[in-house]
Amino acid sequence: MRASEAIRERRSIKRFTDRPVTREEVETLLAAATLAPNHRLTQPWRFYVLGPEARYAYGLALGERKARKLEDSDAARTMRETVAAEHRALPCMIAVAVVNNENPELRDEDYAAAMMAVQNIALAAVELGLGTHLKTGGVMSDSAARTAAGVRDDERIVAIVNVGVPADVPPPKKREPATAFTTWVP
């Protein structure tokens, strides 16, 4: 598959089949991730492949954050358990972290490199017949989520990548052409 095809075919997959993602497939995805450009060859990324119990614990942390918005205690409990069970059932979940750097310039460069690694994971997944769903947000800094993912104190989670065989593939979303965002500067 050509890179341009993988870019066009990549979608955010919300539902996966029950087929597990093999260790070999995960290793292929992570090998692609480490080929991402990274200024000064800092290789700032760290990958945590979460097993069922870690996925459940991460889901509990996310479910707790969602449950806080609910007034009904039974609904909140159901929310926590539902989100946790959904995460346990995922075929594969990879937490992508970056090593913290006190230097603002290096911190930005390392973050950019880690996100390029995430893109490589998503594109390599397409080639393998897998799909991904990238997740970011406030839960990344939640102490319970960090503990569930096993990240070290000197690292921060920048993305969660859910991986599996797509149960269905949504059609592409309409996007503006590149010309809408491009300025040619003489």
Side-chain angles (χ1 to χ4, degrees):
M1 171 178 285
R2 295 175 55 90
S4 58
E5 291 174 77
I7 290 168
R8 276 192 302 278
E9 296 299 318
R10 189 215 55 81
R11 301 284 183 279
S12 292
I13 303 301
K14 304 219 170 116
R15 290 185 331 104
F16 301 101
T17 69
D18 291 335
R19 180 179 82 70
V21 177
T22 67
R23 184 181 188 105
E24 180 181 3
E25 289 169 325
V26 173
E27 289 173 349
T28 298
L29 297 178
L30 299 181
T34 62
L35 296 175
N38 59 109
H39 193 61
R40 306 174 205 215
L41 202 59
T42 58
Q43 302 181 100
W45 39 70
R46 299 296 182 266
F47 308 106
Y48 296 87
V49 182
L50 280 58
E53 293 312 307
R55 292 193 305 264
Y56 180 81
Y58 187 91
L60 272 178
L62 180 58
E64 177 61 35
R65 293 175 67 87
K66 291 181 175 193
R68 286 184 207 138
K69 299 174 186 172
L70 302 175
E71 292 182 20
D72 181 284
S73 61
D74 288 337
R77 185 173 37 261
T78 299
M79 172 67 74
R80 279 189 296 277
E81 188 53 43
T82 299
V83 173
E86 289 170 350
H87 280 73
R88 177 185 276 152
L90 288 168
C92 179
M93 188 172 156
I94 302 169
V96 180
V98 65
V99 175
N100 290 323
N101 194 310
E102 295 302 317
N103 180 315
E105 181 180 353
L106 293 178
R107 184 174 48 246
D108 287 350
E109 289 172 356
D110 288 349
Y111 176 80
M115 294 310 286
M116 286 187 271
V118 169
Q119 179 73 2
N120 280 5
I121 290 170
L123 296 177
V126 171
E127 185 178 15
L128 294 176
L130 300 171
T132 57
H133 192 184
L134 171 65
K135 308 294 270 180
T136 60
V139 70
M140 304 289 142
S141 60
D142 184 286
S143 62
R146 290 176 49 76
T147 298
V151 299
R152 295 174 180 88
D153 290 341
D154 67 335
E155 299 169 357
R156 68 182 170 120
I157 301 172
V158 296
I160 296 293
V161 185
N162 297 334
V163 184
V165 174
D168 51 57
V169 178
K173 293 181 178 176
K174 181 168 173 30
R175 296 179 185 250
E176 294 294 322
T179 55
F181 309 106
T182 305
T183 301
W184 295 84
V185 181

